[in-house]
Every structure is written in structure tokens, then in C-alpha cells.
Amino acid sequence: MKLLVTGGCGFIGTNFIRLMLDAHPDWSIVNLDKLTYAGNRLNLLDLEENAPRYEFVHGDICNRELVMDLLNDKRLDAVVNFAAESHVDRSINDPSPFVTTNVGGAQNLMECARQRGIERFVHVSTDEVYGTLGPSGKFTETTPLSPNSPYSASKAGADLMARAYFETYHFPILITRCSNNYGPYQFPEKLIPLMFLSAKADKSLPVYGDGLNVRDWIYVDDHCRGVELTLTKGREGQAYNFGGNAEETNISVVKTMLSILGKPESLITFVTDRPGHDKRYAMDFSLAARELGFAPTLPFSEGLARTVAWYEANGPWLEQVQSGEYRTFMDTWYEERG
Ligand code: NAD
Ligand code: TYD
């Protein structure tokens, strides 16, 4: 199979490309990435230099001509769309790029793929499209979409567009909705790598609100396997939930990290809450278990220790991704939260 992966220079895309090239000797992958602040071409430089089954293309999923030409010239069979603006806090500061890429770009990809007769298209959505949960219950695929942040609203827009492409055009699209990922190559604006950086530098760890918001954490490789199963075995038109069976409060995640790193809990600072902050996410992924044979493999404690070890071993990567643009956003956002 010849696969177009978009956003492959970001966190999940990088892990997905590495895993898939390893697992499928008969697959080749073209990675289309705009290289925003969150995209790092160097993540996959070893593949660019040594792997004939991997090719990088610098470009925007919003670009109709580029995507049409790519699908034609490279004779691609399937598309997996990871490309997105992905950080909730940035979407609060400025929703516009979220609408442009996450809705407009996703629709452009679907349209090009439809016109080119692509046989399989996996759109990577998120659990955040469902909104928030109370203390009990879990999201299922039939939970109404009820997004609360500009990020999740833009993801819900694309998710619904994907549904419409199936219903209207019988376009062979599949949707994945996964919970919070963690693991190697995650950009240090997200909770786990950000807390790692702060703890290592003996700086304060900014926990929003009371720290009791709950996320269901999944190790990135497990999510990637979910996407792979969806691509190879999923039913067209279906959305599949994926989760890690690992509900944790933010404060508990932060304390566990401090303990792994041997740093004191006095570094924790409670800061002004994120507006519209979803209280709890939890995933019922029994459909994916039943239809695709999906199960998360890594317990949270093991995955977190593995992730911390990766960041410990990859100091130069962390240094390199903290560009001037990164520092500007981080300084302003956290200054405003006190
Ligand atoms: P990320 O921010 O680390 O990476 C996004 C990548 O997309 C970057 O390489 C960036 O350069 C690229 N990109 C952005 N705009 C583009 C455009 N217009 N054209 C081409 N490339 C563009 O994000 P991530 O955490 O790897 O998430 C990947 C996908 O998975 C996203 O769609 C996200 O919504 C979804 N998702 C993420 C999580 C999570 O916990 N991180 C959970 C569920 C779903
Ligand atoms: P994040 O990694 O941004 O993922 P998402 O918002 O998509 O779930 O945040 C995970 C949780 O951690 C979320 O409840 C917000 C919280 N959080 C903090 O408490 N402090 C921080 O500095 C960040 C970035 C997140």
C-alpha cells in the first residue's frame, strides 16, 4: 500500500510513520507536512536519508493543487490525516488557524481524495469532540458531539464533514476518536513534556484550577495501532473510540512525574484555570475492541516512566523544538495565568 500521511512531522504522526514502516515492509509512505511550530522535519531525518519507502513533502493540506497533484503523481492508495493545530490553549488565544487547517484543510483533503478515487481515508479526530463528562460514565461513539473549546469545535467540524462525505458521496472514510496521548516526540506545550521541562529546570509546575480535571491517558504507540487497525480493518463510515483505560487527575500525573524525577512537590503552583476547561474525559472503546481487536497494551505507570526516560535521553531534541515562537507563546500565556 502507498499511503499519504499528513502532519507526520508532529508528535503522533512521527510515531505512526516509524511504527508502520517497521510493521509493513510492503508499505511506503509520503508525509505531507506544513512544518508549523509543532512540526519538526528532523524527527524523521534518518528515514529521509536511509529509507526508500519514506518521502517527505513540505506543504499545506489546504492547498488544492498540491494535494491533487500529490495524489495523482505518487499513485497513493490511502490517506491518514493527522495534520492539525492541536493545542487547546493556543486555540483560546486565536481560533482562526484552527478553523483554517482543522476544518478547511481536512475538507480539502477529503475533496481531493474523493475526486481522485482514493480507496481508504482515515480522519484522526479526538475524544474532545464529545465535550465533557461528569464524575461517572464514558463517551461512546453515539454520544452527541458537544465541543467546548475552539480546538475541539474545529475538530468536531471536520469529524461531521467526514460523516457527510460518507453519507452524501459514499466516500470510504473512517474516523478515529482517541483520548490524550503521551510518549516520545510530544511537543513541550502539552502537560507531560511541559511538566518534565519545568521540573528538570526546578521551575514551578503550573497546574490549572484545582488540578482535579481527569484525562484518560494512552501511550502513543497504542493510539497508532488503533489508527492502523481502523485503516486495515475498519468499517467505512464508522467512527471508533480509542482510550488507554487510564483515568488520572492532572495533579496525580504531575505528582507521579515529580516522584520519577526525584523533585519536590513544592514546585507545584496552582494557576488560573483554562476557560471552558473540560472536567473529565473517559472512553468506552468496546466497539474497537470487538470489531478491530483493539486493546491498549501499556499501563500508565510504565508508559510514563518510559516517556520520562525518552525525554531524559533526548535533551537536544527538547532544546531544538523550543524556538523563539515557542517561547513567545509560553511566556505570554503563563504570565497571564499568574
Ligand atoms: P502536533 O501538533 O504534534 O502535530 C501536528 C502536525 O501537523 C505538525 O507536524 C504540523 O506541522 C502539521 N500541520 C499543521 N497544520 C498543517 C497544515 N495546514 N498542513 C500540513 N501539515 C500541518 O499534533 P499531534 O498531537 O501529533 O496530533 C495529531 C492529530 O491527532 C491531530 O489531528 C489531533 O487533533 C489528533 N489527536 C491528538 C491527541 C493528542 O493527545 N495529542 C489525541 C487525539 C487526537
Ligand atoms: P493538554 O496536554 O493541553 O491536553 P488537553 O487539553 O487536550 O487535554 O492538557 C492536559 C490537562 O492538563 C488538561 O486538563 C489541562 C491541564 N494542564 C495544566 O494543568 N497545566 C498546563 O500547563 C497544561 C499545558 C495543561
Side-chain angles (χ1 to χ4, degrees), residues 85-89 91-92 95 98-99 102-103 123 125-132 145-160 215 274-278 281:
E85 292 291 338
S86 69
H87 190 36
V88 173
D89 296 338
S91 81
I92 293 168
F98 288 75
V99 176
N102 299 4
V103 185
H123 174 68
S125 187
T126 165
D127 63 346
E128 302 194 28
V129 297
Y130 296 122
T132 188
L145 304 198
S146 185
N148 293 315
S149 72
Y151 162 69
S152 52
S154 67
K155 293 296 293 185
D159 195 311
L160 291 173
R215 298 292 182 264
R274 169 191 282 173
H277 194 177
D278 289 332
Y281 303 145

Side-chain angles (χ1 to χ4, degrees), residues 87-89 128 151 180 189-192 194-195 206-208 213 215 217 250 274 277-278 281 334:
H87 190 36
V88 173
D89 296 338
E128 302 194 28
Y151 162 69
N180 285 63
E189 62 189 356
K190 307 285 166 51
L191 182 73
I192 288 176
L194 178 67
M195 296 299 153
V207 173
Y208 297 161
N213 301 64
R215 298 292 182 264
W217 293 95
N250 293 336
R274 169 191 282 173
H277 194 177
D278 289 332
Y281 303 145
Y334 287 99

